[in-house]
Amino acid sequence: MPPTPQPLHGSLSRRERQIMDVLHRRGRATVGEVMADLTGEPAYSTVRAQLRVLEDKGHVRHEEHGLRYVYAPTASRHTARRSALKHLIETFFDGSPEKVVEALVGRERSKLSDEELERMARLIDNARQEGKRP
């Protein structure tokens, strides 16, 4: 039975997060493809070892295609995004989604277009309506 993935936010090194970003972006990749998308000049054996660690942690799985392994994330990008967002909210905003919105529309207001603010308002309205449904 494959290992249960650990939460992404606390269990990955910076390079492991970069590798996961590559895999989520590509969907699946060989060691060479991962290397091509990473910054710096990582050694093949180092990237292969890090993919093996990610597999041991339950974040990655592989399939054999001829003599090469093709790696893919075990969790969807949506799941990884939700995990990272949860960690961000808990770590930097005291667990408060309201503080996140305040940070976005308060200090960053000049960076948001009227269209973006309108879409956010619709999302909030939709959440409010869904909360009223039985």
Side-chain angles (χ1 to χ4, degrees), residues 77-98:
R77 188 175 193 118
H78 174 76
T79 299
R81 185 181 298 144
R82 290 186 62 86
S83 175
L85 181 59
K86 180 180 178 191
H87 177 64
L88 178 80
I89 292 169
E90 289 172 358
T91 303
F92 297 103
F93 297 97
D94 302 322
S96 171
E98 181 182 349

Side-chain angles (χ1 to χ4, degrees), residues 6-121:
Q6 301 168 4
L8 285 178
H9 53 268
S11 63
L12 301 183
S13 69
R14 183 177 63 83
R15 184 57 100 183
E16 288 172 337
R17 283 193 305 275
Q18 291 171 346
I19 291 171
M20 291 305 299
D21 288 345
V22 170
L23 291 175
H24 280 292
R25 199 169 38 255
R26 286 180 170 260
R28 48 193 293 123
T30 63
V31 174
E33 291 167 335
V34 171
M35 286 175 59
D37 286 2
L38 293 175
T39 58
E41 296 183 16
Y44 181 91
S45 59
T46 301
V47 174
R48 189 181 67 219
Q50 288 171 318
L51 282 161
R52 192 171 31 251
V53 168
L54 286 166
E55 192 164 19
D56 290 344
K57 290 181 177 182
H59 298 299
V60 170
R61 62 179 168 71
H62 77 271
E63 299 171 357
E64 293 184 44
H65 287 265
L67 299 174
R68 299 192 308 185
Y69 281 7
V70 178
Y71 295 88
T74 57
S76 71
R77 188 175 193 118
H78 174 76
T79 299
R81 185 181 298 144
R82 290 186 62 86
S83 175
L85 181 59
K86 180 180 178 191
H87 177 64
L88 178 80
I89 292 169
E90 289 172 358
T91 303
F92 297 103
F93 297 97
D94 302 322
S96 171
E98 181 182 349
K99 289 181 180 181
V100 174
V101 173
E102 179 185 355
L104 284 172
V105 299
R107 292 179 211 97
E108 301 297 322
R109 169 59 183 109
S110 62
K111 296 179 182 177
L112 296 171
S113 69
D114 288 340
E115 292 81 18
E116 289 171 317
L117 288 168
E118 187 58 40
R119 282 194 300 273
M120 287 181 193

